Amino acid sequence: MQNRMRNIQIKFWVTEEERNLIKQKMALLPTQRIGAYMRKMAIDVLIIYTDTTNIKEINKELQAIGKI
């Protein structure tokens, strides 16, 4: 394994539904290798983070009003 370009392995668990969803999305691309697909998604897919701190605070205040 020392001569491998990728010598670190990452494993994770999924549900049957998640596995089926991954397979459906893989069918849209020209790859049959799940490792290549997962690597591509993990490295190249754009991640959008939305800060919902203010929404959570407003929701907390609304719940407090509802308890009065």
Side-chain angles (χ1 to χ4, degrees):
M1 284 214 178
Q2 292 176 351
N3 295 333
R4 294 185 98 140
M5 183 175 127
R6 296 182 179 97
N7 59 356
I8 299 171
Q9 185 178 46
I10 298 175
K11 294 182 181 182
F12 61 95
W13 295 90
V14 295
T15 64
E16 187 69 31
E17 294 82 23
E18 290 169 333
R19 182 174 164 224
N20 290 335
L21 197 70
I22 291 169
K23 285 185 174 188
Q24 287 174 9
K25 290 186 176 192
M26 276 182 65
L28 302 173
L29 297 174
T31 185
Q32 297 293 317
R33 298 183 350 239
I34 194 163
Y37 174 77
M38 299 305 285
R39 190 169 37 254
K40 179 78 172 157
M41 293 297 108
I43 293 171
D44 293 341
V45 172
L46 176 65
I47 296 174
I48 300 173
Y49 172 75
T50 305
D51 184 10
T52 58
T53 307
N54 59 345
I55 295 171
K56 289 178 184 178
E57 188 62 36
I58 292 169
N59 195 22
K60 187 176 176 182
E61 291 175 11
L62 286 172
Q63 288 176 342
I65 292 170
K67 292 180 182 178
I68 295 177

